[in-house]
Amino acid sequence: MRKLYYSEGSPYARKVRIVLAEKGLDFEGDQSHTGMSAEEHAAINPNLQVPIFEDGNLRLFESNLILEYLLKTYPGAAPGTAEPPLAGSLTRPDHHWEDAKILATLETLATSMVNLRQLEICGVKAEEVRYLQRQHARIQNGLDWLESRATPEGFAPGLFSIMDMNLLCALEFSEARDDIFPWRGHQRLEAIVARYAHRPSVQSTRPGPPPPAS
Ligand SMILES: N[C@@H](CCC(=O)N[C@@H](CS)C(=O)NCC(=O)O)C(=O)O
């Protein structure tokens, strides 16, 4: 039995949901972590985050680690999945270090965006806090650097790569959450997001509007 603890809007959990959809793997979705105490949550993930994925007796956290597990354990694709095919690994073996650097930068980009969003919800104003200005600069530099590495056909043309997936989940999350960071204007990055916009696994996992403030 497969189970995914997730939040509907989480860009990290979305990557896992996209890969599960690409592979036609069914799973039980569980959003109960929002009602858990820190102790209960820590018992399944010491980092107190989602996604958390269970497959039988195996429990994993950290989205890219979960993706690596899924790609290795379930190498096939669901019948009739879209083109280009989903990559078979996180990085291309013959471009490993360059791809790994791109993935690391994409993770940092997503983390900075999620931090900005959370601090904004808490009422912290970026112009008043130097660390937040640093986060803005980090996102801007990351986007510019990624734009210089991308092609309009993705980071690994011919494949729906895990890099492309990390990118679109972070950038669509930014827009779905009141434009955390105005990333448009990076033409190749825009082309990648547009390229996958109608892919069924991407469409069916797109975040809805922000939940009401609690
Ligand atoms: N590096 C982690 C990041 C996961 C993460 O930040 N998840 C967010 C949801 S978008 C979360 O659980 N936040 C809850 C919190 O930080 O309290 C991954 O890739 O899985």
Side-chain angles (χ1 to χ4, degrees):
M1 180 61 197
R2 288 178 287 265
K3 178 168 175 170
L4 178 68
Y5 293 89
Y6 75 107
S7 303
E8 193 273 334
S10 165
Y12 305 100
R14 186 178 178 201
K15 293 184 276 173
V16 179
R17 291 161 66 214
I18 289 175
V19 171
L20 288 166
E22 289 279 330
K23 295 188 173 291
L25 296 170
D26 54 5
F27 64 99
E28 179 196 339
D30 188 320
Q31 303 200 51
S32 65
H33 68 283
T34 49
M36 286 180 191
S37 66
E39 289 75 19
E40 285 165 338
H41 199 159
I44 49 173
N45 179 356
N47 304 322
L48 303 179
Q49 292 174 326
V50 291
I52 303 163
F53 182 68
E54 294 175 353
D55 195 355
N57 291 328
L58 178 75
R59 178 181 293 136
L60 289 172
F61 44 83
E62 283 300 319
S63 54
N64 283 343
L65 191 61
I66 299 168
L67 298 192
E68 187 179 2
Y69 168 80
L70 290 173
L71 297 180
K72 284 191 172 147
T73 311
Y74 301 100
T81 36
E83 289 292 323
L86 176 68
S89 50
L90 289 193
T91 61
R92 293 166 296 177
D94 51 343
H95 293 76
H96 172 72
W97 295 112
E98 187 59 26
D99 288 0
K101 224 162 48 173
I102 290 170
L103 265 184
T105 303
L106 286 162
E107 278 187 68
T108 301
L109 182 81
T111 304
S112 294
M113 283 181 167
V114 169
N115 282 347
L116 280 186
R117 173 70 179 169
Q118 289 302 332
L119 290 163
E120 188 187 277
I121 289 171
C122 295
V124 180
K125 299 263 176 296
E127 50 286 5
E128 291 165 9
V129 182
R130 272 182 65 169
Y131 180 67
L132 286 190
Q133 291 158 20
R134 187 90 178 152
Q135 296 273 31
H136 270 265
R138 182 172 291 129
I139 295 173
Q140 185 66 58
N141 282 299
L143 288 168
D144 294 347
W145 185 86
L146 290 163
E147 173 76 7
S148 75
R149 259 78 182 166
T151 81
E153 285 80 43
F155 286 102
L159 292 173
F160 178 26
S161 73
I162 302 301
M163 297 172 278
D164 298 342
M165 197 183 297
N166 273 261
L167 178 81
L168 75 87
C169 287
L171 298 187
E172 289 193 346
F173 173 75
S174 174
E175 286 192 332
R177 294 295 176 264
D178 307 320
D179 240 343
I180 300 170
F181 193 94
W183 58 271
R184 289 199 180 264
H186 294 83
Q187 288 181 358
R188 294 181 198 147
L189 303 186
E190 280 197 41
I192 297 173
V193 173
R195 183 177 172 75
Y196 296 112
H198 301 294
R199 194 172 174 109
S201 63
V202 170
Q203 230 171 0
S204 65
T205 55
R206 185 160 285 129
S214 51

